[in-house]
Amino acid sequence: MSSVETAPTAKSTDYGPSGTYLNYINGEWKPAKGGKTFESRNPADPADLVGTFPASDKADVDEAVAAAVAAYKTWRLVPAPKRAEILYRAGQLFIERKEDYARELTREMGKVIAEARGDIQEVIDMVFYAAGEGRRMFGQTTPSELQNKFCMSVRVPLGAVGCITPWNFPMAIPSWKIAPALVTGNTVVLKPASDTPLVATRFVETLIDAGVPKGVINLVHGSGRAVGDPMLEHPDLKLISFTGSCEVGRHVNERCAPTFKRVTLEMGGKNSTTVLEDANLDLAVDGILWGAFGTTGQRCTATSRVIVQKSVHAQLRDKLVERAKKLKLGYGLNEGVDVGPVINEPALNKIAEYVEIGKNEGAQLLLGGNKATNAGPGYFFEPTIFDNVKPTMRIAQEEIFGPVVALIPVDSFEEAIEVANGIEFGLSNAIYTKDVNKAFSAMRDLESGLTYVNAPTIGAEVHLPFGGMKNTGNGHREAAETCLDVFTEWKACFVDYSNSLQRAQIDTD
Ligand code: NAP
């Protein structure tokens, strides 16, 4: 550790006027070189200015990448258990700061306070989980085909890596990427979503306070085009780890191709909950409400389709509408609020457009469907339920990312699986049934990275692989031991202690 320079402990606000936040590059808080800024505002009350942040560009990215490349030279040589000690300290700080960070998260992103606490808890879980890998990170030893020869495989870090993250889990998702990146010996440039720069700043501050050395973590605020694109094209970033929409993910993939970067993509979903006729309907309604309207439907794993067997369709529908009617919209820091605002005005308008699309397609609007004007001055949308939705309708195929759920009646279990799989995405599916045969058949046949039985489509845990099939991802898994595969290369090592030339595949007798 002595060869690594520790960054000063500092809040980013110490370096600018109150409410003005900065980039963090090479151990220093600094404004964008171009001097431009952008604002972050509270989606529940846009008059509430959360902070002003640097609108950075390529020059800032270049500086951050140079710092990460330089820091990599020493960071990769710090023993992994020592790197992990810093993460353990960070985990402890996140515990101490959980409530403050959760309240800021609700203010900046909108999710209700209980869910914001969950976001921070996921950070704590992930940081501790990744820290544990500092003393595992197992490779293999295996016999050689030759005498007096030793063979093993070890993980090695990639170098300087880029992480590009969305706003819906503004602290949890950076932690899924950055904790494993650091423990495996990489250095990081983080570009967080423009809608949640304060939460990302708090995340980085905590790593600094825990002792992450200068240059090892760098934070560059700014737009996808101005900051993201230069990262994608930068020859010295060895990986882009991206979570966001399919549209931007495709662009990321294409832009990274010329430099042969490793690219991991975690993208959209159109998740389903199937309710069979033998299900506990009240339990299913609990799960659908939480899955569809939690985080105001803005989770990649949100329940946006309910596939229900016709024999229990009317019963389920009535129970669901009755419960959804009682959900309280409002500012997520206020007592008793169930559903917060959506992230911004374009998102609000997009959801309203999808409601019109659904009505024009012939789906039956059972509940909601409007911007909610009585919940506060922000971007509120009523919990919305469509019935008699056909599997091919756009509202049953496309990611809406809002509090909208489509009921799709089907005749049989087999048809339910076919409908669940009949989309371009493959992130999360749930099924409610007491029939063990159908539960196991569903786990086998549903085309998604996550499958839940008698539980909602949301509820990932950090020690299990997280990610999607089909157009949701490109084959990688975050969290769990699989997170190590994202941030390391395998190296095979051979030690010949025979004191003679031994030729593999030739001198084997
Ligand atoms: P997004 O618009 O795709 O943005 C994601 C990130 O990409 C943001 O930091 C964004 O920056 C950046 N970006 C935009 N244009 C870029 C460009 N040209 N080059 C590089 N980066 C660029 O997604 P979002 O609205 O933040 O998040 C919602 C989406 O994320 C949904 O589709 C959701 O399903 C998905 N998601 C998936 C998972 C998963 O694990 N599968 C988890 C959470 C969310 P700006 O903010 O500056 O535009």
Side-chain angles (χ1 to χ4, degrees):
M1 286 295 290
S2 55
S3 60
V4 178
E5 200 180 328
T6 304
T9 299
K11 292 260 179 190
S12 64
T13 38
D14 295 346
Y15 293 84
S18 175
T20 301
Y21 297 86
L22 301 167
N23 289 331
Y24 185 72
I25 298 175
N26 204 22
E28 283 178 44
W29 293 102
K30 46 174 70 174
K33 286 182 187 298
K36 292 187 189 153
T37 58
F38 68 97
E39 292 177 345
S40 171
R41 290 182 175 273
N42 178 345
D45 178 6
D48 175 21
L49 178 65
V50 172
T52 303
F53 295 83
S56 316
D57 59 22
K58 184 174 181 307
D60 305 290
V61 171
D62 287 347
E63 191 186 5
V65 175
V69 168
Y72 176 66
K73 291 192 182 105
T74 46
W75 182 243
R76 76 186 183 90
L77 299 177
V78 175
K82 295 283 175 203
R83 294 193 294 251
E85 278 173 20
I86 297 176
L87 289 182
Y88 281 122
R89 279 201 292 280
Q92 192 54 43
L93 292 175
F94 282 118
I95 290 173
E96 290 162 20
R97 299 173 184 184
K98 180 175 173 180
E99 188 59 22
D100 290 347
Y101 285 178
R103 297 183 78 79
E104 284 188 329
L105 196 155
T106 294
R107 180 176 172 217
E108 184 169 56
M109 180 270 163
K111 67 174 72 169
V112 297
I113 184 69
E115 293 185 41
R117 291 184 188 117
D119 206 302
I120 313 300
Q121 187 57 46
E122 210 166 301
V123 177
I124 295 164
D125 296 344
M126 188 64 221
V127 165
F128 283 135
Y129 181 80
E133 284 301 333
R135 288 188 184 271
R136 285 192 295 269
M137 232 183 281
F138 300 126
Q140 291 182 321
T141 60
T142 180
S144 169
E145 64 190 44
L146 296 162
Q147 280 190 3
N148 299 323
K149 194 171 180 188
F150 184 86
C151 303
M152 63 185 164
S153 62
V154 294
R155 290 185 185 273
V156 293
L158 304 179
V161 302
C163 300
I164 300 180
T165 52
W167 48 263
N168 66 334
F169 280 84
M171 208 181 267
I173 292 178
S175 81
W176 293 357
K177 299 180 187 303
I178 292 168
L182 295 183
V183 80
T184 49
N186 301 279
T187 55
V188 174
V189 176
L190 168 64
K191 186 223 118 33
S194 300
D195 283 304
T196 49
L198 176 61
V199 175
T201 301
R202 296 294 185 233
F203 180 75
V204 170
E205 282 174 356
T206 310
L207 294 181
I208 298 163
D209 291 348
V212 172
K214 79 174 210 178
V216 171
I217 177 80
N218 301 275
L219 170 67
V220 185
H221 292 290
S223 74
R225 288 272 167 221
V227 175
D229 278 346
M231 286 174 67
L232 308 182
E233 288 159 8
H234 204 298
D236 293 339
L237 285 179
K238 301 300 176 203
L239 157 80
I240 293 292
S241 176
F242 169 84
T243 300
S245 61
C246 284
E247 187 192 352
V248 176
R250 184 169 284 112
H251 170 83
V252 169
N253 215 15
E254 287 169 2
R255 281 291 176 101
C256 286
T259 47
F260 298 121
K261 275 187 187 47
R262 183 182 290 191
V263 182
T264 65
L265 304 170
E266 289 295 340
M267 300 174 287
K270 188 71 185 174
N271 315 290
S272 76
T273 290
T274 290
V275 183
L276 298 183
E277 58 194 359
D278 69 336
N280 175 339
L281 292 188
D282 291 320
L283 181 68
V285 169
D286 282 342
I288 294 163
L289 279 176
W290 175 231
F293 303 122
T295 321
T296 323
Q298 303 169 111
R299 292 184 185 227
C300 52
T301 52
T303 308
S304 54
R305 299 179 296 154
V306 173
I307 302 166
V308 54
Q309 216 164 353
K310 281 180 183 158
S311 46
V312 290
H313 169 209
Q315 232 184 319
L316 182 87
R317 176 196 64 204
D318 294 349
K319 281 174 185 280
L320 187 61
V321 171
E322 189 194 320
R323 292 278 304 282
K325 268 184 192 161
K326 293 184 184 143
L327 293 173
K328 188 173 168 203
L329 267 71
Y331 185 25
L333 286 180
N334 290 343
E335 203 60 31
V337 168
D338 301 300
V339 182
V342 298
I343 188 69
N344 53 33
E345 196 163 15
L348 189 71
N349 293 335
K350 178 182 162 193
I351 296 161
E353 278 166 32
Y354 268 106
V355 169
E356 288 311 305
I357 290 168
K359 287 199 269 191
N360 293 336
E361 283 178 315
Q364 184 188 350
L365 184 62
L366 288 184
L367 184 73
N370 301 300
K371 295 176 185 175
T373 47
N374 55 358
Y379 311 120
F380 293 96
F381 203 91
E382 297 170 346
T384 298
I385 302 175
F386 276 108
D387 196 14
N388 292 319
V389 174
K390 301 247 176 334
T392 50
M393 289 179 178
R394 284 183 63 191
I395 59 166
Q397 290 284 328
E398 297 171 19
E399 187 181 47
I400 300 173
F401 227 55
V404 181
V405 66
L407 297 189
I408 308 174
V410 294
D411 284 311
S412 63
F413 168 72
E414 291 72 21
E415 189 185 351
I417 299 293
E418 204 179 307
V419 170
N421 289 340
I423 50 160
E424 65 169 297
F425 304 102
L427 186 52
S428 183
N429 286 297
I431 184 164
Y432 284 81
T433 179
K434 292 179 192 142
D435 183 331
V436 68
N437 296 354
K438 289 190 174 127
F440 271 86
S441 300
M443 281 189 276
R444 182 193 60 201
D445 295 339
L446 286 168
E447 295 167 353
S448 52
L450 308 166
T451 304
Y452 295 90
V453 176
N454 294 327
T457 53
I458 57 187
E461 300 182 32
V462 301
H463 53 297
L464 284 114
F466 185 92
M469 299 178 180
K470 302 200 279 191
N471 285 2
T472 295
N474 63 342
H476 303 273
R477 290 292 181 270
E478 298 198 317
E481 197 189 342
T482 43
C483 71
L484 301 177
D485 296 331
V486 172
F487 293 100
T488 58
E489 297 260 22
W490 279 111
K491 183 180 278 193
C493 301
F494 305 87
V495 182
D496 191 321
Y497 54 100
S498 69
N499 219 17
S500 60
L501 171 66
Q502 299 196 86
R503 296 169 300 177
Q505 292 89 43
I506 296 169
D507 299 330
T508 49
D509 294 337

